Amino acid sequence: MTIYVMDACAALAVLNNEAGADQVEAILSSDLQVLMSVVNALEVCYDMARRSGSVNQAKATVDDLLS
């Protein structure tokens, strides 16, 4: 079984529709196992909070991503 480890850059690419987002989305929508460290999840949350100005919105976005 192939396991992928997603870093913050890959997650942010998807959330911000940046280059490479299509490749990450393909992996996320497959049956492959994808892991992410807590540190990377917090980095995504921080970036989303900084961009949106809302910690609650950032947390909801990260929760959606991790589910």
Side-chain angles (χ1 to χ4, degrees):
M1 172 185 234
T2 302
I3 299 174
Y4 286 87
V5 178
M6 183 166 52
D7 68 356
C9 291
L12 290 169
V14 171
L15 294 171
N16 298 319
N17 200 23
E18 297 172 351
D22 54 338
Q23 293 171 316
V24 178
E25 288 171 342
I27 292 169
L28 291 174
S29 65
S30 71
D31 289 337
L32 298 170
Q33 185 175 8
V34 180
L35 305 174
M36 180 181 232
S37 75
V38 172
V39 173
N40 279 294
L42 288 173
E43 186 177 346
V44 172
C45 188
Y46 169 77
D47 188 79
M48 296 305 296
R50 187 173 51 86
R51 288 176 189 249
S52 71
S54 169
V55 173
N56 290 333
Q57 182 178 347
K59 184 183 178 313
T61 300
V62 172
D63 287 346
D64 288 344
L65 177 68
L66 295 177
S67 67

